[in-house]
Amino acid sequence: MELRGAVLGNDLNNRLSELTAAMGAAFNGENETSRKLISVLADLTKRTELAEGTMSFCAGLISPRRLVSVRQRWCPDCLAEMRAAEQEVYYPLLWQIFSVNACPQHRRTLASRCPHCRHEFSPLRAQTHPGLCPKCMQWLGGDAPAAPASEWNQRMAVAVAALLENRAVVTAATTTCFPANLRVLSQH
């Protein structure tokens, strides 16, 4: 009986891990699912600023389809710098934007596979430890070889980083100017 309970417990843990992995990208996105997930998480944690770390500010301005990557991506150099400066290691939202494939600071292609075990993983997992591979638990920052980013990917990363940095302006435009402009266009 205990063995059966242990097996069911592991099955439940596996199913919860699958669910969190499947929903991980949705937290960062801009759609009804992400809004509901953020709302539930905000209620559970009593944190009111959670949506500020997502793409929710561009609702109605950018299509939510393929907005965020379903795989975690990172800049090994940025992770190494966070750790060396004894800062909290985290994955910036910029790295999860589907169209961003480069780090604007280090001008390198973002990594998406562990350099130790070659595992790819989703942005949110039941056991998330930013900077560590969830499979082999090895450090993802540092001297992992990476191709320099193309000029196009560097420009895209810089442009999206500017959009994220100016989200308050974008939010104001989304709620006032953009709908007004659509109304004017629809009248002609």
Side-chain angles (χ1 to χ4, degrees):
M1 188 72 150
E2 284 181 7
L3 180 60
R4 180 174 160 79
V7 170
L8 289 177
N10 287 339
D11 185 49
L12 179 60
N13 284 339
N14 289 339
R15 299 300 295 260
L16 287 173
S17 292
E18 289 173 16
L19 176 64
T20 9
M23 300 306 285
F27 276 103
N28 292 328
E30 190 299 293
N31 57 35
E32 188 61 28
T33 302
S34 63
R35 286 188 288 278
K36 286 180 181 177
L37 289 170
I38 293 300
S39 176
V40 167
L41 194 57
D43 286 345
L44 291 171
T45 63
K46 306 299 182 216
R47 306 268 314 255
T48 58
E49 78 288 353
L50 295 176
E52 295 171 15
T54 72
M55 293 299 290
S56 63
F57 71 93
C58 59
L61 184 62
I62 298 174
S63 170
R65 187 173 165 91
R66 296 179 59 111
L67 180 59
V68 293
S69 175
V70 296
R71 295 286 173 222
Q72 182 63 59
R73 298 180 305 167
W74 63 92
C75 172
D77 294 338
C78 285
L79 293 180
E81 287 174 4
M82 288 178 207
R83 186 187 227 185
E86 297 182 1
Q87 297 173 338
E88 182 177 355
V89 175
Y90 69 100
Y91 300 118
L93 178 60
L94 176 66
W95 298 343
Q96 289 314 116
I97 306 302
F98 188 80
S99 60
V100 174
N101 297 304
C103 172
Q105 181 180 350
H106 296 105
R107 305 173 63 92
R108 69 178 288 167
T109 302
L110 295 175
S112 61
R113 288 186 180 272
C114 173
H116 308 283
C117 70
R118 306 297 301 152
H119 181 66
E120 284 187 312
F121 52 96
S122 60
L124 184 66
R125 302 193 41 105
Q127 298 295 323
T128 299
H129 301 283
L132 299 179
C133 172
K135 184 174 183 184
C136 70
M137 298 305 289
Q138 294 293 311
W139 175 242
L140 299 170
D143 299 327
S150 70
E151 185 65 31
W152 168 255
N153 284 338
Q154 290 174 30
R155 286 184 187 177
M156 178 62 80
V158 168
V160 174
L163 176 74
L164 293 174
E165 288 171 14
N166 294 298
R167 70 182 70 199
V169 174
V170 173
T171 301
T174 301
T175 58
T176 57
C177 299
F178 191 68
N181 288 341
L182 284 178
R183 278 192 295 280
V184 168
L185 287 173
S186 69
Q187 293 171 355
H188 287 76

